[in-house]
Amino acid sequence: MSAGDAASAPDGASTGVEPDPTTAPTLVFEKSATRHSLLEDVLGLVTGTFLVSFGLYLLQTAGAVTGGTAGLALLLGYATSWPLPLLFAIVNLPFAVLAIWKKGWDFTVRTAVAIGLVSGFALVHHAFLQLGHIDAVYGTLGGNLMVGVGVLIIFRHRASLGGINIIAIVLQERTGFRAGWTQMVFDVLIIAAGLLVVSWDKVLLSAAGAVVLNLVLAMNHRPGRYIGR
């Protein structure tokens, strides 16, 4: 086929000419072009953990619960009156072995740093932001939204908040089952346990908040959606 024939071929019609691989569009990128720099990882983890810790602060102030290890820490806090930063760190300790085994030391160290930052920022919020009252709906839905966005940022910088986050990420990498859906299954169980320490209406509201959190993860954290690493 001549150049003129090719130019006059209708859109979508096969010309019989293979595209030039050197100029054809591609989704293959060099690792050096997509890898986050150290500064980007640091800023990403600081931003993500700040959002998570602030979201948890809103949830705690509203008397709500949520899923994941953060939800377990909140439940234990309501039951024991222990400080949330300490409980959050303690709940995540048993999952360190799983992180090392399945994800390696780099991921584990980043996760440990993220957990420490969330605990540290929680102390900052309590010291510098005194919330006397917050609407339950606003605190629950807004808090879960902030936690979801924060966890998403943390995931994208090759870290997690430990616990169920690690299980969700491993399952997604091994089976393709989205991390958000795995998280949601566990969250239903954890929030249901909230009936032991908070009223049923707050548990129902907390369940709605957990859906918001996990929709953020399920819609945005999946293979092929994001190329930075």
Side-chain angles (χ1 to χ4, degrees):
M1 178 179 289
S2 67
D5 292 332
S8 62
D11 291 344
S14 175
T15 63
V17 179
E18 293 295 328
D20 184 351
T22 63
T23 59
T26 178
L27 290 178
V28 178
F29 297 86
E30 292 292 334
K31 287 185 177 181
S32 59
T34 60
R35 183 182 296 276
H36 291 126
S37 67
L38 177 60
L39 178 60
E40 289 171 334
D41 281 336
V42 170
L43 292 177
L45 290 180
V46 169
T47 302
T49 54
F50 181 88
L51 290 175
V52 168
S53 62
F54 191 74
L56 290 177
Y57 184 54
L58 291 180
L59 289 168
Q60 187 178 32
T61 304
V65 294
T66 189
T69 50
L72 286 175
L74 281 173
L75 288 178
L76 291 174
Y78 295 145
T80 66
S81 298
W82 285 23
L84 178 62
L86 176 62
L87 288 170
F88 185 72
I90 291 175
V91 166
N92 278 290
L93 282 178
F95 294 92
V97 175
L98 176 63
I100 296 171
W101 176 35
K102 290 295 186 181
K103 297 294 293 179
W105 280 103
D106 179 72
F107 177 86
T108 303
V109 170
R110 289 168 184 261
T111 295
V113 170
I115 293 170
L117 285 172
V118 169
S119 297
F121 280 135
L123 294 174
V124 171
H125 300 320
H126 281 280
F128 293 98
L129 182 63
Q130 300 298 321
L131 296 177
H133 171 74
I134 185 172
D135 180 78
V137 175
Y138 176 86
T140 303
L141 298 183
N144 275 287
L145 180 62
M146 294 190 73
V147 171
V149 174
V151 170
L152 177 64
I153 295 173
I154 292 169
F155 279 180
R156 288 181 171 177
H157 289 272
R158 292 179 291 157
S160 76
L161 290 179
I164 296 164
N165 284 173
I166 298 174
I167 297 173
I169 291 175
V170 171
L171 280 178
Q172 176 167 296
E173 292 177 347
R174 298 293 189 274
T175 68
F177 190 72
R178 294 182 192 174
W181 301 135
T182 300
Q183 185 86 30
M184 189 176 293
V185 171
F186 281 97
D187 287 355
V188 168
L189 299 176
I190 294 170
I191 291 172
L195 288 170
L196 299 174
V197 292
V198 297
S199 60
W200 66 267
D201 55 326
K202 287 190 175 181
V203 170
L204 289 179
L205 184 57
S206 297
V211 171
V212 171
L213 189 161
N214 287 291
L215 281 176
V216 171
L217 298 180
M219 290 189 299
N220 294 283
H221 186 70
R222 60 186 187 187
R225 175 54 59 91
Y226 184 71
I227 61 173
R229 59 188 300 276

